[in-house]
Amino acid sequence: MTPAEFKEARRKLGLSQSQLGQILDTTPQTIRKWEMAEDRSTARSVNPVAARVMGWLLSGWRPPEWPRG
């Protein structure tokens, strides 16, 4: 999953970087770095486990940490 695909998936789910960070047990800063263009010096590759969880979220699975309302 590319950074742009990851960001688009998060937006499609209606989640903020903070909310997704809580679901993935990471910081909003890490989410931001995963979403950065790959040519930026502070960008990081999207974590493969996070990408897999994002796929589950897109298919309808919701963890207990899912934001209410």
Side-chain angles (χ1 to χ4, degrees), residues 9-61:
R10 178 182 59 78
R11 288 183 172 173
K12 187 175 186 178
L13 292 165
L15 296 171
S16 68
Q17 290 175 337
S18 182
Q19 289 169 321
L20 183 57
Q22 189 172 25
I23 291 167
L24 297 175
D25 195 29
T26 192
T27 66
Q29 292 81 9
T30 297
I31 301 297
R32 183 175 38 84
K33 288 179 181 183
W34 289 342
E35 294 180 351
M36 282 184 183
E38 294 172 353
D39 61 346
R40 302 274 310 266
S41 65
T42 56
R44 292 188 190 171
S45 297
V46 176
N47 179 294
V49 174
R52 182 174 294 166
V53 171
M54 189 65 82
W56 297 339
L57 294 172
L58 289 170
S59 70
W61 175 77

